[in-house]
Amino acid sequence: LILYGNTNIVESDLPHRKTLTRLITAAYENQQDELKSGALGRISFTADIWSDPQLTSFMAITSHCMSRNEDHHLCLVSRLL
């Protein structure tokens, strides 16, 4: 994303597809472990896709679950993934 909109990008600026796959998989597994450790039950997901007036596309995925805070009260936890 740092290179987005830069017109002087050369091939060496972009990570290899296997490197990207490995980084995305590691980030996914880390997020999944964090979500599972704090959730008391099911984890729900919502997604939204939209574009701005210049037709740049965006996608957001949000997770929602119930957890307990430091006072042991139930609370709804939402996280943008």
Side-chain angles (χ1 to χ4, degrees):
L1 291 175
I2 294 171
L3 299 174
Y4 183 75
N6 186 346
T7 57
N8 300 322
I9 296 174
V10 295
E11 179 115 9
S12 62
D13 291 332
L14 303 174
H16 189 271
R17 64 181 174 85
K18 289 185 179 181
T19 303
L20 264 178
T21 300
R22 184 173 32 81
L23 291 171
I24 291 169
T25 301
Y28 168 80
E29 289 171 353
N30 184 36
Q31 289 287 328
Q32 185 180 35
D33 291 342
E34 285 184 30
L35 279 172
K36 285 182 178 180
S37 67
L40 294 177
R42 296 176 185 245
I43 302 171
S44 300
F45 296 91
T46 58
D48 192 13
I49 299 172
W50 70 96
S51 60
D52 67 9
Q54 289 78 33
L55 299 179
T56 302
S57 299
F58 299 92
M59 181 174 98
I61 301 173
T62 308
S63 66
H64 312 275
C65 64
M66 297 302 291
S67 185
R68 291 199 182 271
N69 64 13
E70 59 276 352
D71 297 326
H72 300 289
H73 293 113
L74 281 177
C75 60
L76 175 65
V77 178
S78 298
R79 175 182 279 172
L80 180 62
L81 302 176

